[in-house]
Structure formats: C-alpha cells, structure tokens
Amino acid sequence: MSTPLSRPSYAAVLRVPQARRTFTAALTGRLSYATAGLAVPLSVTAATGSWAVSGVVLSLFGATTVLLMPMRAALVDRHGPRRVLLPMSLLYGALLALLAALTWRPGAPAAAVAGTAALAGCCAPPLGPAMRALWSALMPDEGMARRAYSLDAVAEELLYVSGPALVGALLGAAPAAAGILLSAALNVAGTCAFVTSPALPGPRPAAARRRRSVPVRGLLPAVVVALGLGLAISAVELLVLAFAEARSYDPALVPWVLGALSVGSALGGLAAGAVRWRAPARVRLCRFAAAFALVLAAAGLAPGLWTLSGVLALAGAFIAPALTTAYLLADETATEETRIQAGAWVNTGVNAGSSAGALAAGLLIGRLPLPLCFALAGAAALATAVAAAVRTAAPGHAPGPAPASTDDGTAATA
C-alpha cells in the first residue's frame, strides 16, 4: 500500500492528521470574505440609496482589509495564531454585526457606516496566510506541500464563486444586511474551530516575540508577480463585459465566460500540484505568469464570445499554478518568525493589483480598441514576470531567508 510520503496525492493531503479538520475550519472563516464582498455594497446601497456611498464604503472596507493584512499577520507571527486570531475575529464579527444593524433599514448615516466598515476591515483575521503557513508544517515532504498549496488555491477560487451565490440565495428570504450577519457568523465560527485545532502551534517563546521582523530576501519576486496577476485578472472582468457589449451579446452570458477562467484556473492548479517539477519555484513562477500574460494578450483577437471563453480557460490554467508557486516561494524564503507575514504580502500584492487593474481598465475601455486593452492587460502581467525573472537572476541574489533581527538591529543566529 502506498503511503503519502511515497506517492503524494490530494487524498493523502487530507488524510494527514488534523489536516481536514483544520482546512475546513479555515475555509469556513475565509468564506466570510467572499460573502461580505457582495453583502456590504448591497446592504449599504439599500440603506443609503446611493451607489456612490456604497462604493466608498466598499473601498474603505477593502483597503483596510488588504493593506493592513501584513501588520495583522506580523502579530500572528509574533504571538502565535491561538492568541491573536480569535480576538481579531471577535472584533471583526462584532463590527460586522454593528454594520448590519446600521444598514438593516433605510436612512443609515453614511459617515457611521463608512467608519464601521473601515474598522471592521482593520480587524479581519489573516486566515488564508495562517492556513498556508500551517500547510508546510503539516506536510511530510515537498511534494505533499505542493499539493496542499494547490488544493488551497483551488478551494479559494471556489469560495469566491460560491460566496456571492450564497448571499444571492439569502436575499430571497431576508434583507441584504442579513448577508453581513452571515459573514460575521462564518468568520467567528471558522476561526473558533481553526484556533482550537491540535495542529496549530502553541504560543511563541518569549525570545521569538522579542525579535523584530525584517523584510525577507527573495520575497519581492513573488509579490511583484502577484501584483501583476491581480491587475490583469481584475481587468479581464471589465474587458469581457465590454467585449460582450461591443458585439451585442446578452450580458447574462458574461458570468459564464468568467466562469471559464475560474474553471481553467482550478484545473490548472490541480494539474500543476500533481507534477514533480524540476525547475525551482522562482523559475516556475515567472514561467507560469508569462504564459498567462501571453495567452491573455491574444484573447482580444477572439472572433466571438465562445472563442473568448476557450482562450480565457487556457489563460486561467496558469493562474492558480502561478499563485500557488508565489505562496510556495514566499514560504521557502521566510524564516519561522515571518512565515505568515510572507504569505500575507503575496496576498496583499494580488489584491492591490486587483484594485489597480479595475481602475486602469475602466479608464482605458472606450478610449482604446478592445484588442489593445487585452494586450495591455497581458503586457502588465508579462512585465512583472520579466521583472521578477531579472530580480532572481541578478548577481548576488539570495533566494534563502534573511536572518532574523533582534530589537537592537543585530542579526540573530540559531
């Protein structure tokens, strides 16, 4: 009988003691972010009657959630997930509940709604980076870890498909603000289950807590590529809508085209996780990102919507492998005291790129031909892949982790 160590598989990943329980708990908490992304703007619009206010609130919520994630992750690295994640989740859940109460009926004060949403984002627990850091500790070898990261990336892809659908189903029986309450409940329940898992490490030793975190050498390529991927992916969403409108297709077909991108990503992620790669992670990362960029750049030449779906499915096949490799590279280059922060920086890169991509696409569509817009989106992702390749090939570049630093700035040794 084969063992997980001799022949790694996705089933073997979930058979590792405590892996299934811990992963399910983390996914439950992370589903909160997928439901909140739709529930917050819907409830704020219903309460204030203004899409402009809704956009500002969602931007504040997203900005504090994403941009402060490395700082929250640093707290988890310093004090341990058991001590930090649950208080964060309880604060996050309480603020979401307050936001739901404010927006339950029309007439909500816009300033109070915006402030509450921004504060909630400040407290969002970094469950994704925490789970990805735990995978490397749970898995017995590199092949198992690679499959675990691929499984995580595919599951996250599915969360952001199922989350809005869950909110849509809830809207048939309750106000939009009920979706915010659902988001709060999911996060608190998932985090409680996560931090009580025996797989989690205990509190950090006092010496580790006194160390000051420093930038991790080798992390920059992963963050740069993640930024480019996020930018291109978010641009695609608007570009597909413009493509359908320009050719008089039914807008209801657009989600199916974007679904092809997600399906391609999921299948590509599962396939990439099953391969024993000879090239190091930093090389694979640039290759996956460049392949995605080149296919996306050609997508604007598709003669029709169904051809575009096929091209985007092919482009999507490189998304999950690229993101998975970025997280693996971050894990490889991190010290034990910066592992969760490293993953959080990659996550921040993706989301920051996503915000910039949506803005750039909105400004370019209508001013430039659509094929050129697709080509520019691909070029942005390609540029980050090339920049990362140049960075990793530079003389003196060290892919390994930087030494930890003590409070007085001197390097700490083992």
Side-chain angles (χ1 to χ4, degrees), residues 340-403:
I340 298 177
Q341 294 173 69
W345 275 112
V346 175
N347 201 67
T348 298
V350 175
N351 288 286
S354 181
S355 298
L359 176 62
L363 293 174
L364 294 178
I365 291 172
R367 292 179 171 86
L368 296 175
L370 272 179
L372 181 56
C373 291
F374 274 97
L376 289 174
L382 183 61
T384 58
V386 171
V390 170
R391 166 74 179 176
T392 56
H397 171 72

Side-chain angles (χ1 to χ4, degrees), residues 94-119:
L95 287 164
L96 284 186
L98 176 59
L99 182 62
L102 288 171
T103 58
W104 198 269
R105 292 183 176 83
V113 169
T116 303
L119 287 174

Side-chain angles (χ1 to χ4, degrees), residues 228-229 232-233 236 261 287-297 315-316 318-319 381:
L229 288 169
I233 293 167
V236 167
L261 186 75
R287 290 176 179 174
F288 286 138
F292 163 73
L294 293 173
V295 177
L296 178 60
F318 299 103
I319 293 176

Side-chain angles (χ1 to χ4, degrees), residues 105 112 127 194 228 252 264 305:
R105 292 183 176 83
L127 292 172
F194 183 74
L305 200 62

